[in-house]
Structures are given as C-alpha cells and as structure tokens.
C-alpha cells in the first residue's frame, strides 16, 4: 500500500507478515512503527462506544492507555485475573479492589522472596519517611518488627475497636 506520492506506508510479505510504517520483521506477523516520538498512539483499538486502548511511546517510556474511568484488566481464558481500576487501585483475584493493592482468593499470600543474602521485608512509609518495618535478617533467621520513629511503641490490638492487648 502506498500514498499518491508512492511512499510505502504498509507492506505484506509472501509469508503474510504485515508491516505498517516499516518493512515487517520475519519473526512478527504484525510490525507497526511510528515515524515520530510524539506521544501519539502507535496502535489504537477502539470500540463502537468510542472507548479505546492505546499503545504509545514517549521518549523511552512505553505506555498502555485506556479511556478515562475505564479499568484495565488481564484475563486468562474467560477468567479475569488482575485489574487496575480508574483510581489506580490494583486487584488480583477481585474486580473491585477497595485498597491500593488487594489480593483475594482461597490461598491469598503475599510472598517476598529475596534473591541475595541481604535482608528482605516490608517498610511502611508516609511521604517518604520510614515509620516501621518488618524484615527478615537472612543471616541470623531473625524476623524483626520495628518502629523507626522516636516513640518506639509497637502495640498489638484485637477486635473491631482495636483494643490494645500487648505493647
């Protein structure tokens, strides 16, 4: 396919590989190349209701962009496995996450698997200030729960009202 000025804008190889904006790679059935790095979509999928999914590049950043207020979901077969909703909440095993990250399932475990001999764990911050951490010292095998501010208080509570049971 070419424009009236005989510039190739798309081509199809004998093997059926398609190139838009480029000659298709031999290992790709569809190869789309943007001529500019201008934040315009490289590929846009749009439904009848004008909702869309864009794939674009700006500088060295690749972006998947959906219509405002639409979620982005990932499915295997007919089952949705993960969703990012319009407010940025991520749900794994749920289609309506109520927190920034929600894991839901019959065996919901968050695994933190350190790959070096250094400590691994979870650090709790507010505006980049560390407040507490739970970490495993991999050399000693000690699980450390620590408060990192000056108050030095760690309390354990139960029940809906959060009745303190131990400090």
């Amino acid at each position: 396919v070419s424009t009236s000025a005989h510039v190739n804008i798309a081509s199809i190889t004998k093997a059926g590989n398609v190139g838009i904006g480029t000659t298709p790679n031999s290992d790709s059935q569809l190869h789309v190349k943007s001529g500019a790095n201008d934040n315009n979509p490289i590929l846009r999928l749009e439904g009848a209701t004008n909702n869309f999914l864009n794939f674009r590049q700006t500088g060295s950043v690749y972006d998947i962009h959906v219509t405002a207020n639409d979620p982005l979901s990932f499915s295997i077969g007919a089952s949705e496995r993960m969703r990012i909703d319009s407010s940025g909440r991520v749900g794994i095993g749920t289609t309506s996450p109520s927190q920034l990250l929600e894991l839901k399932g019959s065996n919901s475990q968050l695994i933190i698997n350190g790959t070096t001999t250094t400590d691994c764990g979870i650090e709790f911050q507010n505006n980049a200030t560390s407040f507490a951490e739970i970490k495993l010292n991999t050399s000693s095998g000690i699980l450390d729960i620590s408060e990192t501010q000056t108050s030095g208080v760690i309390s354990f509570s139960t029940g809906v009202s959060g009745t303190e049971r131990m400090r």
Side-chain angles (χ1 to χ4, degrees):
V1 179
S2 60
T3 64
S4 60
H6 300 290
V7 176
N8 239 3
I9 56 172
S11 59
I12 303 173
T13 67
K14 290 178 185 177
N17 295 354
V18 176
I20 300 173
T22 187
T23 303
N25 280 337
S26 60
D27 61 349
S28 300
Q29 290 182 329
L30 175 63
H31 183 173
V32 180
K33 184 174 183 181
S34 175
N37 186 4
D38 57 7
N39 201 28
N40 288 327
I42 294 172
L43 178 63
R44 180 183 192 120
L45 307 174
E46 187 169 340
T49 59
N50 296 325
N51 292 7
F52 61 82
L53 171 68
N54 281 340
F55 295 86
R56 63 185 180 196
Q57 176 190 5
T58 304
S60 61
V61 176
Y62 293 88
D63 182 32
I64 298 173
H65 178 250
V66 296
T67 311
N69 299 321
D70 286 342
L72 178 61
S73 66
F74 300 86
S75 299
I76 297 176
S79 300
E80 184 175 314
R81 302 297 183 188
M82 185 174 87
R83 172 179 292 236
I84 304 171
D85 72 12
S86 61
S87 64
R89 294 181 299 235
V90 176
I92 299 174
T94 179
T95 59
S96 54
S98 61
Q99 299 298 319
L100 193 55
L101 174 63
E102 182 176 341
L103 307 175
K104 185 175 185 179
S106 60
N107 191 17
S108 297
Q109 295 182 16
L110 175 63
I111 296 174
I112 300 172
N113 188 353
T115 58
T116 64
T117 57
T118 59
D119 298 342
C120 62
I122 301 171
E123 182 175 350
F124 299 91
Q125 295 184 353
N126 186 19
N127 292 323
T129 299
S130 177
F131 281 83
E133 55 188 19
I134 301 171
K135 68 179 180 180
L136 174 66
N137 182 317
T138 57
S139 60
S140 68
I142 295 173
L143 180 65
D144 181 37
I145 302 172
S146 60
E147 189 272 342
T148 58
Q149 295 296 306
T150 57
S151 67
V153 175
I154 298 175
S155 66
F156 295 87
S157 305
T158 60
V160 176
S161 63
T163 304
E164 187 175 312
R165 302 295 183 186
M166 183 171 65
R167 183 181 289 241

